[in-house]
Amino acid sequence: MSAYEVLYARQFHEQLMVLPDSVYERVEHSVDVVADNPGLLRVYDSPYEAAVPPLDLRWYYVPHTHKVIYLEQDEQARQLRMLFLGDTREDPRHRFDRMDSVE
């Protein structure tokens, strides 16, 4: 059993479903890793004012890919909510332009 329950936002799920199989598997493996080891997550601190996300986020780089998982961590409920799957090749000043607003 994982240390944290994992929830998927609609946008994250949609982004996940269009990935090539090899990248999909690496992202899913990374989700499992952070669910068991939330200490690996980093607080997202934007180096650009224009790239400030709409809420406090954590992030995790998916090894051997260009993908970055952006998520919310709820310590009290012991939940991780996967929100957005970014790409390291994106312009960092516009990183969250495509992120859905969070309910």
Side-chain angles (χ1 to χ4, degrees), residues 1-30:
M1 181 170 185
S2 296
Y4 278 72
E5 177 184 14
V6 175
L7 306 171
Y8 289 80
R10 184 187 75 244
Q11 182 177 19
F12 186 88
H13 184 322
E14 289 170 357
Q15 290 174 306
L16 193 57
M17 292 297 103
V18 298
L19 294 174
D21 289 345
S22 62
V23 178
Y24 173 91
E25 290 169 9
R26 290 180 190 274
V27 171
E28 281 294 314
H29 176 73
S30 291

Side-chain angles (χ1 to χ4, degrees), residues 35-50:
D36 289 334
N37 304 284
L40 296 173
L41 296 171
R42 300 291 173 247
V43 173
Y44 182 75
D45 184 20
S46 175
Y48 302 98
E49 192 172 320

Side-chain angles (χ1 to χ4, degrees), residues 66-68 70 84-92 95 98:
H66 295 287
K67 299 299 180 189
V68 180
Y70 294 97
F84 184 71
L85 193 57
D87 194 298
T88 59
R89 299 167 293 184
E90 295 173 309
D91 181 342
R95 181 166 286 144
R98 296 179 301 109

